[in-house]
Amino acid sequence: MIITIQLSCVLLLLAASTVQPFQTVKIRPSPSRQKVTLSYSTDIDPIALSSSPTLSSSAASSSSISTEDLDNQIDTYADPNDRRYSASDWAHNMLSLPYSTILHAVRGPVGWITTWSTFVSLAYKTCQWNGMQSLANKMCLGPTPHSLIASSIGLLLVFRTNSAYQRFTEGRKTWEQILNTCRDITRMTSVYEHNVGLKRKQRIQRLLAAFPYMLQHHIQPRCLDHSQCKDLEHSPHALVLNEPRTISISNIARKRSGARECWVDKRALPWCLLPDPVLSKLGNSHNRPLWVTDRLSLEFTEIEYDDNFTSRERLELLKHTNTLSKCIGHCERIHQTAVPLNYARHALRSLTLWSFTLPFGVVDKLGLLTGPTVGVVAWLMYGVYEIGHRIEDPFQGSLRLTDLCNAIYRDVMFGDRNQAGRRRQSAFRKDFEKESDWDRVGAAFGVSRAEKEILGSAEKSGALSNEAYQ
């Protein structure tokens, strides 16, 4: 039985070592839309995208692509990550344990600790079988030292995980503010469309739709890999971006040097939303989302005043632009500021020493079960540490930024396409609507239709006095 348990642990670790990250992400298409597979270049996590999505469609190979064709190709109505696990999902979670990305990440230390614990248990039993009980007793430390240190290790892990979760929550709130601000700007430009102008409104919508993708590229570069760059090397669809820092441009990012040039496809989002003169300026900018906010400010200041659009409305639009600019700073602060190195090193060193010495505290009680038992404990402890490390920077996989960008694109680009113009844009049009249509609605607020007719006729005849109204 003991050998069976140990072999099971070894097989579990081997299965985790053979797990490969997802190479494709299939987004659920909405009704009347075709399914498209977006391929990404990454070796860490399917959500941490390091390259631009490639459309697996014939429309992507055309010389130009309209936003309506882009809507038909890309599912901008993908649901967010709303998966919840309850207690009834225990069987699914246990069966999917060999495919756990956390187990795949911590398989190294867990494997070493399990092997070391098994070796200690075998050495302890060998000393007992050969009559060297005194030597076997010297290998036992007892549970007291590790019980005293366990509380300190727990505090280190809890503090790191809590601080990482706060950063995760702050990052999500920042992108929520971006979503709400973009919606507010499009609402104002639609209400004041007569003053803003149709052409300027379309430019503002395209800049707003491109902003979240630019911010995502700013904190999470999405460059084409070498094979895609060769295909676009002599193509007019290639766009070379000058990056302020060295970035990885290959699938094996940690084994190959990066470059300061990032190749993207003009036919993909967000580059297809902007004309070539604007793209050339964006390519030379080191902070592209900030460039977009600056251009939005210029568009707002060029709107002429009249009786309906005054300085109050312009300042309100500029205020929304300043909010987007502040969100850039918030994302940069979270992305560029890591947990203090001294704290991270001390927590990891303490956890490692505690785990490697744990077999000496339990070997006299567990015997040959020390290996698998300590291995499970190491998986739990290092798993918590790895979770804190992953959500420390929520923009590298914890948050589904692509879904958030698609949601902003969906709500912003409503007036620039034929189909979407009939959705949100219809709220700003009163075509085929009459005031009498509202009067035909049934009873509301306790006033029936007959009472409405009586009150209406009495009001027209002037029979009601001011006291009756009160």
Side-chain angles (χ1 to χ4, degrees):
M1 178 180 178
I2 296 175
I3 298 176
T4 304
I5 295 176
Q6 293 178 347
L7 290 177
S8 301
C9 294
V10 173
L11 292 176
L12 187 61
L13 292 174
L14 291 177
S17 63
T18 59
V19 172
Q20 298 294 333
F22 295 99
Q23 299 299 325
T24 58
V25 178
K26 293 185 178 180
I27 302 179
R28 179 189 61 80
S30 61
S32 73
R33 291 175 184 261
Q34 56 182 339
K35 181 180 294 185
V36 175
T37 301
L38 304 182
S39 60
Y40 305 107
S41 171
T42 176
D43 62 334
I44 301 177
D45 194 277
I47 308 174
L49 309 179
S50 61
S51 66
S52 298
T54 303
L55 295 178
S56 57
S57 175
S58 59
S61 59
S62 60
S63 59
S64 62
I65 182 171
S66 64
T67 53
E68 185 174 353
D69 295 334
L70 190 64
D71 284 343
N72 295 328
Q73 296 296 322
I74 297 181
D75 180 18
T76 58
Y77 298 89
D79 292 335
N81 185 21
D82 56 356
R83 175 63 176 169
R84 303 292 189 271
Y85 289 103
S86 62
S88 60
D89 298 324
W90 65 271
H92 168 72
N93 282 271
M94 294 304 299
L95 293 176
S96 61
L97 180 59
Y99 308 100
S100 171
T101 56
I102 298 296
L103 180 60
H104 176 78
V106 302
R107 70 187 188 278
V110 172
W112 278 104
I113 292 172
T114 303
T115 304
W116 168 252
S117 303
T118 304
F119 174 77
V120 170
S121 63
L122 292 176
Y124 177 79
K125 283 298 183 181
T126 302
C127 293
Q128 285 186 335
W129 293 336
N130 293 332
M132 294 181 291
Q133 187 63 37
S134 59
L135 181 59
N137 294 334
K138 292 180 180 179
M139 296 176 59
C140 302
L141 297 178
T144 304
H146 289 83
S147 300
L148 296 175
I149 302 176
S151 58
S152 300
I153 299 294
L155 288 176
L156 289 174
L157 294 178
V158 167
F159 178 78
R160 175 178 173 79
T161 307
N162 287 342
S163 60
Y165 185 76
Q166 290 177 359
R167 295 161 61 93
F168 171 82
T169 305
E170 184 178 356
R172 182 60 184 89
K173 290 181 178 180
T174 300
W175 275 83
E176 179 187 0
Q177 189 174 18
I178 294 174
L179 175 61
N180 295 334
T181 303
C182 292
R183 289 172 175 173
D184 294 340
I185 293 178
T186 53
R187 182 184 299 110
M188 287 197 65
T189 55
S190 297
V191 171
Y192 296 97
E193 181 179 352
H194 177 73
N195 308 97
V196 175
L198 181 60
K199 294 296 183 181
R200 177 174 285 110
K201 176 189 173 183
Q202 292 179 351
R203 293 197 300 268
I204 293 173
Q205 286 177 325
R206 288 173 174 265
L207 289 171
L208 281 177
F211 174 79
Y213 295 101
M214 296 295 178
L215 181 56
Q216 181 184 12
H217 181 87
H218 183 62
I219 59 180
Q220 190 185 93
R222 302 161 57 89
C223 304
L224 300 177
D225 55 22
H226 289 289
S227 60
Q228 294 172 321
C229 291
K230 291 181 180 179
D231 297 337
L232 294 176
E233 186 174 359
H234 302 290
S235 172
H237 308 307
L239 176 63
V240 181
L241 307 176
N242 296 322
E243 297 293 336
R245 61 189 183 278
T246 303
I247 59 174
S248 301
I249 56 176
S250 63
N251 292 343
I252 313 176
R254 298 181 180 178
K255 296 183 180 180
R256 302 185 61 177
S257 59
R260 288 184 178 272
E261 289 186 353
C262 176
W263 287 56
V264 296
D265 193 345
K266 292 181 181 180
R267 297 167 296 179
L269 283 172
W271 320 106
C272 64
L273 298 174
L274 305 175
D276 289 339
V278 175
L279 290 179
S280 62
K281 296 178 182 180
L282 271 177
N284 295 323
S285 176
H286 287 172
N287 196 325
R288 296 178 187 91
L290 184 61
W291 190 95
V292 173
T293 57
D294 294 340
R295 175 54 64 90
L296 284 172
S297 300
L298 178 62
E299 293 288 347
F300 294 150
T301 54
E302 291 180 349
I303 301 176
E304 298 181 357
Y305 289 152
D306 61 7
D307 296 337
N308 193 28
F309 189 89
T310 62
S311 60
R312 179 180 60 184
E313 285 74 22
R314 175 183 290 180
L315 291 177
E316 185 67 21
L317 290 173
L318 292 177
K319 180 180 178 182
H320 290 317
T321 308
N322 294 336
T323 302
L324 295 179
S325 180
K326 291 179 181 179
C327 291
I328 300 174
H330 293 167
C331 294
E332 290 175 343
R333 173 171 53 84
I334 296 175
H335 178 64
Q336 299 174 1
T337 306
V339 172
L341 185 60
N342 295 332
Y343 180 85
R345 284 181 174 178
H346 181 71
L348 189 57
R349 288 168 180 168
S350 302
L351 179 58
T352 302
L353 290 176
W354 185 86
S355 300
F356 271 95
T357 57
L358 182 60
F360 298 100
V362 297
V363 68
D364 57 336
K365 303 292 185 181
L366 300 178
L368 295 179
L369 290 175
T370 302
T373 302
V374 176
V376 172
V377 174
W379 165 65
L380 293 173
M381 303 295 283
Y382 278 94
V384 174
Y385 185 90
E386 179 66 20
I387 291 173
H389 171 71
R390 291 199 174 192
I391 65 177
E392 176 185 337
D393 187 357
F395 308 128
Q396 299 302 321
S398 300
L399 289 177
R400 297 184 180 270
L401 298 184
T402 302
D403 287 344
L404 295 173
C405 293
N406 290 340
I408 297 175
Y409 172 85
R410 175 195 63 199
D411 294 337
V412 166
M413 291 295 294
F414 59 86
D416 199 39
R417 308 159 308 181
N418 295 331
Q419 296 297 328
R422 302 172 185 173
R423 300 187 183 107
R424 188 184 175 190
Q425 184 72 6
S426 61
F428 304 101
R429 299 288 186 270
K430 291 186 177 181
D431 302 335
F432 308 106
E433 296 182 12
K434 300 178 181 179
E435 294 292 339
S436 58
D437 296 337
W438 294 90
D439 297 333
R440 296 191 183 97
V441 181
F445 301 104
V447 181
S448 62
R449 183 181 301 177
E451 292 175 344
K452 288 181 180 179
E453 295 177 356
I454 295 175
L455 291 176
S457 59
E459 183 178 354
K460 291 180 181 179
S461 61
L464 294 178
S465 59
N466 293 332
E467 291 80 6
Y469 279 110
Q470 295 177 358

